[in-house]
Amino acid sequence: MRSLAAKLTLAFLLVGLIGAGIVAVMVRHRTQNEFGRLILDQNQRFLINGLTRYFQEHGSWEGVESIFRPGPDAPPSVHDFLSNWETRRNLFIITDSDGVIVFGGIEDLGKQISPTRQRGGIPLLSDGENIGWLLFRPALTRWRPGTLEGDFLFNINNAIVLSAIVAVVVALVVGGVLAYTMTRSLRELKAATIELAEGKLGYQVEVRSKDEIGDLATSFNRMSLELAHSNELRQRMTADIAHDLRTPMSVIMGYTEALNDGKLQATPEMYAVMHSESLLLSRLIDDLKTIALVDAGELPLMMQKVSPIVLLKRTADAHRVQAEREQISISISASSEMPDIEVGVERMVQVLGNLMSNAIRYTPQGGEIFLSADEGESGVRLEVADTGIGIPEEDLPYIFERAYRGDQAREQSQGETGLGLAIAKSLVEAQGGKIDVESELGKGTKFTILITETTANLV
């Protein structure tokens, strides 16, 4: 049985059967006991008084069955109880003081009962002396068909069985409806996963409830949208990388073919261009290699202690010439007494270098770049801020995604794959840190790297 709805229906049915069975057994047992107690309580005193009087008048139990023919002054309940006294032999037995049965079933007369069973009966006393015992039979033996009590209990039992059957049928119907309703969303999710597997990324299902299945549907919808978005980014990244790789390759191939055909004479400027394009190709390949290592979880990290100000100065020195060429000033703000942090130094320099390159690229002439570090409650913060063109608000949520570039950025980033910030985020998170961005159009951008207490080794 592979259908979850069928399994749930059978589970509901099984629960209904067990519940109805338990209730039926308990009600039947309780009804018989209480009914028997009621009948016996009503007639027990009459029996004891009648039996005691009979023994006192006759001096023995011989002919005791005659007392079961009530006189005209007996109450109606006694008449009902003692009518057809032959049937009443199954209700109780009477023994003498020695435990020998003197009244009961024909097959039991003259038999000796055990002292244990005798103690479970009611003693019959005359002038304080034990003259016999009155013992009632178990309910199932007492109330036989053909008696008023037996017929009453038979009808009660039939009603209990009918009620149990109705309860089981209701459980089956309600269980089937509930199972179908509960599995409806699962069936839709199954169909959606098939659509997803066939390439229909972004496929959505209706969220029908607020329980765990509803949460599952919501998670599926979010996953489907993220897959569609990631696939779109991947396609865009592939196209961008192909374009960016083709551009320097075309330049290099154009020059080398012209030189090989003798159409151009080699000049230092020509070699400088080819060298520049070769460096661009190398950088693109390094970016792709870094992304591949991050995805595979094999990115090497050489963790060591370093002062935050050392990282900032090393980053500033590496980009100072480029910044001066663009007439951009660089300032550093950090205390030399700040505690050391334990990070992958080369990888952290790579992160700061990516952020610095972006800051220079998008900051106009005469702008400023600020490198700073400070210690907070949660760890050490490294910041790279600029007075550049800023990032549009709608682009901020996606700025760290691979190959994502806003329109403004794309116009000024020829030769870039759009992997720089994605690599920076991956490198920071690989070291247990966090990276965030704040930006305002026309005023600048600030990137913040948080080295948390669990990552930073404060000394």
Side-chain angles (χ1 to χ4, degrees):
M1 185 180 298
R2 302 175 61 184
S3 171
L4 180 59
K7 292 179 180 178
L8 287 174
T9 301
L10 287 180
F12 286 124
L13 177 60
L14 181 59
V15 171
L17 282 172
I18 294 175
I22 292 175
V23 170
V25 170
M26 293 182 65
V27 170
R28 181 173 181 268
H29 178 73
R30 188 70 175 177
T31 300
Q32 287 182 336
N33 286 345
E34 293 301 321
F35 181 74
R37 182 180 300 174
L38 174 64
I39 296 297
L40 295 178
D41 286 347
Q42 288 178 344
N43 299 282
Q44 181 174 288
R45 183 177 299 278
F46 170 80
L47 284 174
I48 294 175
N49 292 338
L51 291 172
T52 302
R53 186 168 54 251
Y54 179 87
F55 187 88
Q56 290 173 343
E57 292 175 356
H58 296 81
S60 70
W61 294 110
E62 186 176 355
V64 68
E65 63 272 9
S66 62
I67 72 168
F68 299 110
R69 300 182 180 89
D73 58 339
S77 61
V78 174
H79 277 281
D80 293 339
F81 181 72
L82 296 180
S83 62
N84 193 5
W85 69 273
E86 289 291 345
T87 304
R88 302 306 170 185
R89 288 182 178 273
N90 297 312
L91 299 179
F92 51 83
I93 61 176
I94 303 170
T95 72
D96 60 16
S97 58
D98 296 326
V100 177
I101 297 175
V102 296
F103 177 86
I106 300 299
E107 68 279 3
D108 295 329
L109 293 177
K111 291 184 178 180
Q112 179 82 36
I113 65 172
S114 65
T116 301
R117 185 181 177 191
Q118 195 173 11
R119 285 193 296 270
I122 301 172
L124 302 175
L125 304 175
S126 177
D127 298 328
E129 181 182 353
N130 182 275
I131 58 174
W133 298 86
L134 175 64
L135 296 93
F136 290 95
R137 296 182 183 274
L140 291 178
T141 304
R142 278 191 253 129
W143 313 128
R144 291 186 176 181
T147 65
L148 293 176
E149 298 85 356
D151 292 341
F152 173 79
L153 290 178
F154 178 77
N155 292 331
I156 291 293
N157 291 336
N158 285 343
I160 293 173
V161 171
L162 180 61
S163 300
I165 293 174
V166 172
V168 170
V169 172
V170 171
L172 179 60
V173 174
V174 174
V177 173
L178 288 176
Y180 179 83
T181 303
M182 292 171 62
T183 57
R184 181 178 182 181
S185 295
L186 293 179
R187 291 193 300 273
E188 292 176 349
L189 282 170
K190 176 185 175 182
T193 56
I194 295 175
E195 297 288 340
L196 205 64
E198 293 177 352
K200 297 181 181 179
L201 303 181
Y203 190 90
Q204 300 289 284
V205 297
E206 183 178 353
V207 180
R208 300 182 180 277
S209 61
K210 296 183 180 180
D211 54 12
E212 289 82 357
I213 295 180
D215 293 340
L216 178 61
T218 301
S219 298
F220 175 87
N221 288 339
R222 183 168 60 250
M223 177 195 69
S224 182
L225 289 176
E226 290 178 353
L227 284 175
H229 183 63
S230 297
N231 186 61
E232 181 183 352
L233 289 179
R234 180 185 59 80
Q235 292 176 344
R236 187 192 308 170
M237 183 179 70
T238 302
D240 287 347
I241 290 174
H243 174 270
D244 291 335
L245 288 174
R246 187 183 300 113
T247 300
M249 286 294 296
S250 297
V251 173
I252 295 172
M253 289 179 64
Y255 277 120
T256 54
E257 287 178 1
L259 290 172
N260 186 58
D261 294 339
K263 296 179 180 180
L264 288 177
Q265 294 296 322
T267 63
E269 291 78 9
M270 186 182 302
Y271 286 126
V273 170
M274 287 192 291
H275 179 68
S276 176
E277 296 299 320
S278 298
L279 291 177
L280 175 58
L281 277 175
S282 176
R283 187 170 71 253
L284 295 177
I285 293 171
D286 286 342
D287 285 350
L288 293 175
K289 179 181 178 182
T290 301
I291 286 291
L293 289 173
V294 170
D295 289 342
E298 298 178 356
L299 185 70
L301 292 172
M302 301 283 294
M303 305 296 285
Q304 54 184 306
K305 295 177 183 178
V306 64
S307 171
I309 194 170
V310 171
L311 291 176
L312 299 182
K313 287 182 178 179
R314 181 172 170 180
T315 301
D317 292 342
H319 294 82
R320 194 174 300 279
V321 174
Q322 181 184 1
E324 290 176 352
R325 188 186 306 125
E326 301 294 335
Q327 299 180 14
I328 298 172
S329 63
I330 300 176
S331 61
I332 299 175
S333 173
S335 172
S336 58
E337 298 180 357
M338 285 189 64
D340 290 349
I341 55 176
E342 188 171 13
V343 294
V345 175
E346 297 304 320
R347 295 301 181 184
M348 192 57 68
V349 168
Q350 182 180 353
V351 171
L352 293 172
N354 282 341
L355 300 181
M356 192 71 176
S357 296
N358 278 342
I360 294 174
R361 186 177 302 114
Y362 302 124
T363 300
Q365 290 185 354
E368 295 180 277
I369 297 176
F370 306 94
L371 302 179
S372 62
D374 65 88
E375 182 183 4
E377 294 182 359
S378 55
V380 175
R381 290 191 300 270
L382 305 177
E383 294 181 353
V384 179
D386 61 57
T387 59
I389 62 176
I391 302 172
E393 184 177 355
E394 62 270 18
D395 291 338
L396 286 177
Y398 313 106
I399 200 68
F400 292 108
E401 293 184 358
R402 299 178 185 181
Y404 184 85
R405 291 182 288 197
D407 293 339
Q408 278 189 323
R410 185 164 181 80
E411 292 177 0
Q412 303 184 43
S413 59
Q414 299 300 322
E416 293 298 317
T417 61
L419 296 176
L421 292 179
I423 291 175
K425 182 174 185 292
S426 298
L427 293 178
V428 170
E429 291 180 349
Q431 299 176 75
K434 298 179 181 178
I435 185 170
D436 197 9
V437 60
E438 300 175 15
S439 186
E440 186 175 350
L441 280 178
K443 293 187 177 181
T445 302
K446 179 173 71 175
F447 287 91
T448 302
I449 299 171
L450 176 62
I451 309 299
T452 60
E453 292 291 351
T454 56
T455 304
N457 186 9
L458 306 181
V459 296

